[in-house]
Amino acid sequence: MDRILSNQNSHVKAWSKLATKKGRQENRTYLLDGWHLVEEAVKAGAKFHAVMATEEQMAEHLPDVPHGVPAFEISAEVAKHIAGTNTPQGIFAEISLPDKTFNPSYVHDGAWLLLDNIQDPGNVGTLIRTADAAGFKGVVLGAGTADVFAPKVVRAMQGSQFHLEVLNGDLNEWVDALTANNLPVYGSQLNESAKSYRDVEASTQFGLIVGNEGQGMSDVLAEKTTANLYIPLQGQAESLNVAIAGGILMFSLVSGN
Amino acid sequence: MDRILSNQNSHVKAWSKLATKKGRQENRTYLLDGWHLVEEAVKAGAKFHAVMATEEQMAEHLPDVPHGVPAFEISAEVAKHIAGTNTPQGIFAEISLPDKTFNPSYVHDGAWLLLDNIQDPGNVGTLIRTADAAGFKGVVLGAGTADVFAPKVVRAMQGSQFHLEVLNGDLNEWVDALTANNLPVYGSQLNESAKSYRDVEASTQFGLIVGNEGQGMSDVLAEKTTANLYIPLQGQAESLNVAIAGGILMFSLVSGN
């Protein structure tokens, strides 16, 4: 097994480039940080390009990594460099970006979360993890939304990209297609004249749009929806964090939770 | 007005120390970053020690700052240094830590959120902001929980510390006192044999405990509660982010939302 002790090593430089969208697109791969995510990728049958781990982590986990995957032992310093954080667990994998095409006009069932211009990667990752936990069938990332394979999104998703559909898409097309296929599409608004989310009966088939942290969802989308929903606030807070609002809506709208 | 252009200035050094709990305790002050928070402090009648702003921000906002507060014009570089981030808005205030003592045995009504060993400052701040939005009367930070005046907590609270009670406390004492005063206290657990949160009728007077990101709430507290609640998960995600779980529980348990 190759041992890598320097951040100047060419592999390390290549892995570091995967922190940027450009680097990921050119290489068609992204990084997983920590055994929990690597294990989820193993279970999901993801295509592995490399596993990198400190001596200790390698000893513990190499037996569970698919046979034939190139393995690199790295120093603790190199682990920090690849992770971009100070306390990485010390095991990483480089895996292929999924290569999905998905036509929304074929969607006839399930609950779908549509993210309109959500910029904070932690919010995007947490929303995807929450959609998974709420039993959603998929999440569609519209224009302006943080890239799903950015390191902070991947960390916050906690492996949910292996559990449900996570797609990029044009939300206008999605809303049109869901509507044409008789799925109601709910928007969310910070607008007391919108419909209270409490007044929507839970179901298993619908679309839910959550929008930008500051501006909310786009007006164009808001006009296309079946209804726009509002979460009544009681205190003096002016708004909820978008991931919290999304979580409350998802768990309230999906039947069975 | 003093103009400060160097990070070596003694005021700047003193403000930077307020990023640490030790610095805040010694000085009995903390920092607000951005006009939204400074404005909330003005509205709340907080005790101001200083306002620091770039030339542009000072011109825009100084008229709205209480008369007689020492004002310092700072460079964009100094603003970044004080903020500890790369894109601060450029206006800050140093205000007094609140000096509250609060005896839980006097609590006879309202909804109270108890945080048991919640370590991530973003989660703590978001939970306090969400409790505010849900109409809670207060939040009690128990042992192990991130300090409420740490910069990342302050940022995520979005000013909610001025809207509801935010206290440090011994959660064992709180649970005993609320129970003695006939308020039910609900725990939260990642345990399918616990009671579904859907089966609790919404009310306006209760305690709700949320626990550590990894380990959940302490066993000692779990044994003292009226009931421990579970959020049934449908997908393959193993858990929810603690702030999302807290948000779903708060909005479900409080009547009127």
Side-chain angles (χ1 to χ4, degrees):
Chain A
M1 191 184 322
D2 280 5
R3 293 185 67 210
I4 301 179
L5 304 172
S6 162
N7 294 336
Q8 300 308 312
N9 175 284
S10 62
H11 288 299
V12 176
K13 288 184 177 176
W15 294 323
S16 297
K17 282 187 189 157
L18 301 178
T20 67
K21 186 167 182 176
K22 181 162 172 278
R24 292 189 296 275
Q25 295 291 351
E26 285 175 1
N27 222 38
R28 303 298 307 159
T29 62
Y30 73 106
L31 283 190
L32 302 173
D33 178 349
W35 177 244
H36 174 65
L37 296 187
V38 177
E39 189 180 27
E40 291 273 353
V42 172
K43 280 193 224 161
K47 180 163 174 8
F48 279 70
H49 294 248
V51 169
M52 314 76 104
T54 58
E55 186 177 2
E56 192 181 50
Q57 289 290 319
M58 196 63 92
E60 189 174 343
H61 295 300
L62 190 59
D64 300 317
V65 168
H67 213 68
V69 171
F72 299 88
E73 189 184 310
I74 57 177
S75 66
E77 276 312 306
V78 169
K80 285 184 199 177
H81 187 76
I82 296 174
T85 62
N86 275 325
T87 53
Q89 192 185 356
I91 183 165
F92 304 83
E94 180 186 2
I95 69 171
S96 285
L97 290 179
D99 200 11
K100 283 182 194 168
T101 55
F102 203 100
N103 186 334
S105 66
Y106 296 147
V107 173
H108 289 273
D109 61 8
W112 293 82
L113 179 68
L114 314 185
L115 304 184
D116 179 29
N117 192 20
I118 307 224
Q119 297 179 337
D120 181 83
N123 285 338
V124 171
T126 301
L127 282 161
I128 294 170
R129 176 183 174 190
T130 307
D132 179 13
F136 274 53
K137 196 154 181 181
V139 181
V140 185
L141 285 70
T145 297
D147 184 66
V148 67
F149 299 110
K152 286 182 183 173
V153 178
V154 172
R155 199 177 306 143
M157 280 195 293
Q158 296 263 315
S160 287
Q161 73 269 36
F162 302 117
H163 303 158
L164 77 175
E165 299 289 350
V166 181
L167 309 160
N168 294 307
D170 178 326
L171 297 193
N172 281 296
E173 285 177 15
W174 271 82
V175 174
D176 291 343
L178 294 175
T179 304
N181 291 346
N182 295 314
L183 271 69
V185 178
Y186 302 112
S188 50
Q189 290 188 318
L190 199 62
N191 172 358
E192 295 188 32
S193 64
K195 184 173 184 172
S196 169
Y197 78 106
R198 299 267 190 194
D199 297 334
V200 177
E201 202 165 333
S203 73
T204 55
Q205 306 192 21
F206 61 90
L208 170 66
I209 308 172
V210 294
N212 178 265
E213 289 88 347
Q215 282 94 50
M217 59 184 287
S218 79
D219 293 341
V220 175
L221 290 174
E223 283 177 18
K224 284 176 181 267
T225 55
T226 312
N228 293 316
L229 307 182
Y230 171 70
I231 301 176
L233 304 185
Q234 293 200 78
Q236 297 173 66
E238 290 166 16
S239 64
L240 290 166
N241 167 285
V242 66
I244 302 289
I248 291 167
L249 292 174
M250 282 190 263
F251 271 79
S252 179
L253 293 176
V254 163
S255 57
N257 280 305
Chain B
M1 189 185 322
D2 280 4
R3 292 187 66 210
I4 302 179
L5 304 173
S6 163
N7 294 336
Q8 299 308 312
N9 176 283
S10 62
H11 288 298
V12 176
K13 288 184 177 176
W15 294 323
S16 297
K17 283 187 189 156
L18 301 178
T20 69
K21 185 167 185 178
K22 182 163 174 276
R24 293 189 295 274
Q25 295 291 350
E26 283 175 4
N27 222 39
R28 304 297 308 156
T29 61
Y30 73 105
L31 283 191
L32 302 173
D33 178 348
W35 177 245
H36 175 67
L37 297 186
V38 177
E39 188 179 29
E40 290 274 352
V42 173
K43 282 193 223 161
K47 181 164 175 2
F48 279 70
H49 293 249
V51 169
M52 311 77 104
T54 57
E55 186 177 2
E56 191 182 50
Q57 289 290 319
M58 196 63 92
E60 188 173 346
H61 295 300
L62 190 59
D64 300 317
V65 169
H67 214 68
V69 171
F72 299 88
E73 188 184 311
I74 56 177
S75 65
E77 276 311 305
V78 169
K80 286 184 198 177
H81 187 77
I82 296 173
T85 61
N86 275 326
T87 54
Q89 191 185 359
I91 183 164
F92 305 84
E94 179 186 3
I95 69 170
S96 284
L97 289 180
D99 200 10
K100 285 182 192 168
T101 56
F102 202 101
N103 186 333
S105 67
Y106 297 146
V107 173
H108 288 273
D109 60 10
W112 293 82
L113 179 67
L114 314 183
L115 305 185
D116 180 30
N117 193 21
I118 308 229
Q119 298 179 337
D120 179 82
N123 285 338
V124 170
T126 301
L127 282 161
I128 293 170
R129 175 182 175 191
T130 307
D132 178 12
F136 275 53
K137 196 155 180 180
V139 181
V140 186
L141 285 67
T145 297
D147 185 65
V148 66
F149 299 110
K152 285 181 184 175
V153 178
V154 173
R155 199 175 309 144
M157 280 194 293
Q158 295 263 316
S160 287
Q161 73 269 36
F162 302 117
H163 303 158
L164 78 176
E165 300 287 351
V166 181
L167 309 159
N168 294 307
D170 179 325
L171 297 194
N172 281 296
E173 286 178 15
W174 270 81
V175 174
D176 290 345
L178 294 176
T179 305
N181 291 347
N182 295 315
L183 271 68
V185 178
Y186 303 110
S188 50
Q189 290 188 318
L190 199 62
N191 172 359
E192 295 188 32
S193 64
K195 185 173 182 170
S196 170
Y197 78 106
R198 299 267 190 191
D199 298 335
V200 178
E201 203 165 333
S203 74
T204 56
Q205 308 191 22
F206 61 90
L208 169 66
I209 309 171
V210 294
N212 177 265
E213 289 88 346
Q215 281 95 51
M217 59 184 288
S218 81
D219 293 341
V220 175
L221 290 174
E223 283 176 18
K224 282 176 182 266
T225 54
T226 312
N228 292 317
L229 308 182
Y230 171 70
I231 301 175
L233 304 185
Q234 292 200 78
Q236 296 173 66
E238 290 167 15
S239 64
L240 290 166
N241 167 285
V242 67
I244 300 290
I248 291 167
L249 292 173
M250 283 190 263
F251 272 79
S252 179
L253 293 175
V254 162
S255 57
N257 280 305

